Amino acid sequence: MVDHDLLDHRLADVGIQGIARNWLCSFISGRGQRVALGREMSSRHSLVCGVLQGAILSPMLFNIFMRPLAQIIRSFGLGCHQYADDTQLYLLMDGHTDSAPYTLTRCLEAVAGWCRGSRLKLNPSKTEVLWLGQDGMGMRDQLPSLAGAQLVPLPSVKSLGVILDASLSMEAQVTATAKATFFHLRRIKQLVPYLSRPDLATVIHVTVIFRLDYCNSLYAGLPLKLSQKLQRVQNAAARLLTGSLPWEH
């Protein structure tokens, strides 16, 4: 969806000029695609938008293309985080709920207008709202719409693979992590007779331990009942690797 002409202008806006700009434009221009089905091949179709999937330069070019969106959001006093094609807006209410709809409405209208001007399409069905604080569901009728879809607060949302709930208790995240890791441990148990100890350790680290380690700084200060869930996963992984019995320490 990255329009090549618009990308050219935004390269200039961030100060990329001369040979570097010409080189980047030549990298994305003049490309085409075709579809192969068996021995049949379609005619070549020239591409006037998009960056190459898998190319090292493509994420950088996409970030440059999306850079003005964050500037627009911050101009309304909202915070903004962007990761790839995911954009998150943050609004501090300070207890004045009556100011949220107007501020959000103006900002979302500007976001929708920028997307149209950039030849991008919003997907309201994938837009989620998390209200951190009391009486979040009371905002259900006060939130604005986005591209014709009414926004409503949800009990939890997923941010970069981490489930956040309205109270930031991390209970949903811990429960989901424990469920996923125990599922993989049951599958790995079937492979124990066929793997050496080092290979078994590698499989456990790749499928189980990395899930416990991912964003584990968010687990600091967890209640005992939640930290015990994660501890049970580690104990089960250790028993599987060492061949220990369930009642052994």
Side-chain angles (χ1 to χ4, degrees), residues 64-87:
I64 292 175
F65 187 81
M66 296 295 294
R67 184 172 178 266
L69 179 59
Q71 297 172 335
I72 291 174
I73 294 171
R74 293 190 178 104
S75 69
F76 288 92
L78 276 73
C80 176
H81 284 163
Q82 291 178 293
Y83 184 83
D85 61 343
D86 181 33
T87 301

Side-chain angles (χ1 to χ4, degrees), residues 102-150:
Y102 180 66
T103 304
L104 277 177
T105 298
R106 291 178 55 219
C107 182
L108 294 179
E109 288 175 350
V111 168
W114 181 86
C115 288
R116 287 192 298 269
S118 300
R119 301 175 186 175
L120 300 174
K121 185 178 181 180
L122 285 171
N123 192 343
S125 63
K126 292 186 177 181
T127 300
E128 299 175 323
V129 178
L130 180 65
W131 176 272
L132 299 177
Q134 296 180 352
D135 196 25
M137 302 310 290
M139 290 291 295
R140 181 178 296 272
D141 298 328
Q142 300 186 47
L143 292 177
S145 60
L146 176 65
Q150 180 65 40

Side-chain angles (χ1 to χ4, degrees), residues 2-249:
V2 175
D3 185 272
H4 292 170
D5 291 335
L6 291 175
L7 178 59
D8 183 21
H9 290 294
R10 289 173 188 173
L11 289 173
D13 290 339
V14 297
I16 300 177
Q17 299 286 356
I19 295 176
R21 181 181 170 190
N22 294 335
W23 180 74
L24 289 173
C25 290
S26 69
F27 172 73
I28 60 175
S29 62
R31 296 187 180 274
Q33 68 180 17
R34 59 179 64 194
V35 178
L37 181 61
R39 296 184 178 181
E40 301 296 325
M41 183 79 69
S42 70
S43 57
R44 184 178 183 274
H45 178 75
S46 298
L47 297 177
V48 295
C49 61
V51 290
L52 276 73
Q53 185 175 358
I56 294 176
L57 286 174
S58 296
M60 180 194 69
L61 294 174
F62 181 79
N63 288 336
I64 292 175
F65 187 81
M66 296 295 294
R67 184 172 178 266
L69 179 59
Q71 297 172 335
I72 291 174
I73 294 171
R74 293 190 178 104
S75 69
F76 288 92
L78 276 73
C80 176
H81 284 163
Q82 291 178 293
Y83 184 83
D85 61 343
D86 181 33
T87 301
Q88 298 181 359
L89 283 65
Y90 299 87
L91 177 62
L92 180 62
M93 299 297 298
D94 288 331
H96 303 293
T97 58
D98 55 343
S99 63
Y102 180 66
T103 304
L104 277 177
T105 298
R106 291 178 55 219
C107 182
L108 294 179
E109 288 175 350
V111 168
W114 181 86
C115 288
R116 287 192 298 269
S118 300
R119 301 175 186 175
L120 300 174
K121 185 178 181 180
L122 285 171
N123 192 343
S125 63
K126 292 186 177 181
T127 300
E128 299 175 323
V129 178
L130 180 65
W131 176 272
L132 299 177
Q134 296 180 352
D135 196 25
M137 302 310 290
M139 290 291 295
R140 181 178 296 272
D141 298 328
Q142 300 186 47
L143 292 177
S145 60
L146 176 65
Q150 180 65 40
L151 299 179
V152 296
L154 300 175
S156 64
V157 300
K158 182 175 286 189
S159 177
L160 299 181
V162 177
I163 302 174
L164 301 176
D165 56 77
S167 60
L168 295 181
S169 68
M170 302 303 298
E171 183 172 0
Q173 170 66 14
V174 170
T175 301
T177 300
K179 181 179 179 181
T181 48
F182 275 122
F183 168 80
H184 286 287
L185 285 173
R186 288 193 296 269
R187 300 291 296 273
I188 296 172
K189 189 175 182 179
Q190 302 175 15
L191 301 176
V192 170
Y194 309 101
L195 295 177
S196 64
R197 181 68 64 82
D199 291 339
L200 180 59
T202 299
V203 172
I204 291 175
H205 276 286
V206 170
T207 59
V208 177
I209 302 303
F210 100 92
R211 285 182 165 83
L212 299 177
D213 289 342
Y214 182 71
C215 292
N216 59 8
S217 60
L218 296 174
Y219 298 147
L222 281 181
L224 183 60
K225 68 173 184 177
L226 293 182
S227 60
Q228 285 178 339
K229 286 187 177 182
L230 301 177
Q231 186 63 55
R232 283 195 290 269
V233 173
Q234 294 188 79
N235 293 349
R239 289 193 180 98
L240 182 62
L241 179 60
T242 60
S244 304
L245 297 175
W247 54 84
E248 294 179 330
H249 191 278

